Amino acid sequence: MKPRYSVLDLAPVRQGGSIAETFHNSVDLARHAEQWGFTRYWLAEHHNMPGIASAATSVLIGHIAGNTESIRVGSGGIMLPNHAPLLIAEQFGTLETLYPGRIDLGLGRAPGSDGLTARALRRTLHQTGDDFPALVEELLSYFQPLSPDRHVQAVPGAGLSIPVWLLGSSTFSAQLAARLGLPFAFASHFAPELLHQAIRLYRAQFQPSARLATPYVIVGAPVIAAPTDAEAERLATSPKQRFLKLIRGEPIYAVPPVDSMDGLWSPAERDLVESKFAAAIIGGPATIAARLATFLAATEADELIFTSDAFRHQDRLRSFEIVAAAFAQLPAARPPYTEVPA
């Protein structure tokens, strides 16, 4: 079988647009992705970030799943230190009950916010991320079958086969995923520096589990595809401007592309932004196909998951359509893993 390909929707709010528009566009993109053969559609938890509308991640997952038919829908990810594991087990147990066989639960340990917002979410900063392994194991325990010996159980949730993924941008979650025998997704769409080291560690240290027999790696990558390389490079100035605003601490609304970034950033800012786009796949159809093949060969990823923050919705749609066409041209790879009951 060929490598899988999926969508990571950061629910971008357009400058001059609205959150309602963002949610409408997310549904439209998910429906198109389903038609184009994408495997899954994930949404990421962020808080107090004007320009990103996926704070209530579980609610939005339900909205997308309810407006599609077959594509898997899930979190990329839920920032577990922000939540009680029981609450997440109940939320995703509810989603899996409503949309059986279609829900993924990806978990991260970052707050998805700033320090003040993290305190507002948690009411305390006792959970700092250092207890992430214990939180993950507690959450996994709630998906075990109902038992009279357990005084606290997830209803719904107990006994459901919900695939659980660990997400990360460093080697920490890679090694934890390996120890627990879980699939692993690396966030090289914004932090590509440790990509190869993390996936090497994950594969080398992987311990088979009841959930997963062999390692499975998803790699995130930004993509901007257009009819020509020149147009794609121009459209890519929108996500680059957005990341520039992020490092400056400014609202990160999606902004129109520009002909040149010259004069918009300092040399140091340019170097930082460009470094964060090291895994980006940008170009016309032929360039996209070539770069996808090179990226897959370098990472040996089982699946790629793409973000695309083009300013106009139709440009986002076109990027994903071109990616789907490029994957159709790729040769077959080793068979992907089979998800097994929790």
Side-chain angles (χ1 to χ4, degrees):
M1 293 181 64
K2 295 182 178 181
R4 292 170 169 175
Y5 50 102
S6 295
V7 175
L8 174 59
D9 182 6
L10 301 180
V13 182
R14 186 175 59 88
Q15 185 182 71
S18 68
I19 291 175
E21 176 189 66
T22 294
F23 292 160
H24 173 82
N25 289 344
S26 289
V27 169
D28 188 55
L29 174 56
R31 287 172 171 167
H32 279 89
E34 189 170 67
Q35 295 171 9
W36 293 330
F38 285 79
T39 297
R40 63 191 91 243
Y41 193 98
W42 280 2
L43 296 134
E45 177 185 348
H46 294 87
H47 299 279
N48 193 29
M49 287 190 178
I52 295 181
S54 52
T57 317
S58 299
V59 176
L60 196 51
I61 288 169
H63 182 59
I64 297 297
N67 282 280
T68 52
E69 296 180 0
S70 59
I71 194 168
R72 298 193 65 88
V73 188
S75 58
I78 291 293
M79 302 298 109
L80 191 54
N82 292 340
H83 309 278
L86 175 61
L87 183 63
I88 297 304
E90 291 170 340
Q91 289 177 1
F92 278 77
T94 300
L95 288 167
E96 174 64 21
T97 302
L98 289 170
Y99 309 105
R102 295 183 56 205
I103 300 300
D104 294 328
L105 174 52
L107 302 171
R109 69 184 182 111
S113 62
D114 57 87
L116 287 175
T117 307
R119 181 178 291 276
L121 285 164
R122 306 174 191 177
R123 312 308 302 170
T124 173
L125 293 184
H126 173 69
Q127 291 181 337
T128 62
D130 293 337
D131 54 353
F132 182 63
L135 294 175
V136 171
E137 296 200 60
E138 180 185 348
L139 176 57
L140 292 174
S141 74
Y142 290 126
F143 293 130
Q144 296 300 317
L146 287 170
S147 167
D149 299 328
R150 289 184 61 94
H151 299 293
V152 179
Q153 307 194 55
V155 182
L160 295 181
S161 302
I162 302 172
V164 175
W165 305 70
L166 290 194
L167 283 56
S169 57
S170 69
T171 59
F172 180 93
S173 290
Q175 294 178 87
L176 179 60
R179 178 171 68 82
L180 297 177
L182 296 175
F184 176 60
F186 190 86
S188 51
H189 60 286
F190 72 88
E193 297 85 359
L194 296 176
L195 166 62
H196 296 286
Q197 182 181 354
I199 58 180
R200 279 197 303 268
L201 281 170
Y202 169 68
R203 290 177 175 133
Q205 298 179 15
F206 182 82
Q207 300 177 30
S209 70
R211 287 178 169 270
L212 191 64
T214 58
Y216 190 89
V217 172
I218 290 182
V219 175
V223 65
I224 295 288
T228 67
D229 288 356
E231 183 178 351
E233 291 291 348
R234 183 176 184 276
L235 293 177
T237 62
S238 289
K240 289 179 180 180
Q241 290 179 81
R242 201 168 185 227
F243 197 86
L244 179 62
K245 290 179 180 294
L246 178 66
I247 63 177
R248 290 176 173 174
E250 300 172 359
I252 55 172
Y253 293 104
V255 295
V258 293
D259 292 332
S260 173
M261 292 289 292
D262 293 344
L264 297 181
W265 52 15
S266 69
E269 289 173 331
R270 179 197 61 211
D271 291 345
L272 179 56
V273 172
E274 294 290 7
S275 73
K276 296 300 182 181
F277 280 79
I281 299 172
I282 300 168
T287 300
I288 291 292
R291 290 182 177 174
L292 282 177
T294 299
F295 193 60
L296 284 165
T299 61
E300 297 184 325
D302 300 275
E303 184 174 336
L304 298 183
I305 189 164
F306 298 99
T307 63
S308 187
D309 286 348
F311 176 68
R312 298 192 313 162
H313 180 59
Q314 52 265 50
D315 291 327
R316 289 183 81 207
L317 290 178
R318 185 173 58 185
S319 285
F320 287 111
E321 185 176 18
I322 290 172
V323 164
F327 266 88
Q329 301 172 25
L330 291 174
R334 65 181 177 84
Y337 82 122
T338 300
E339 291 155 340
V340 297

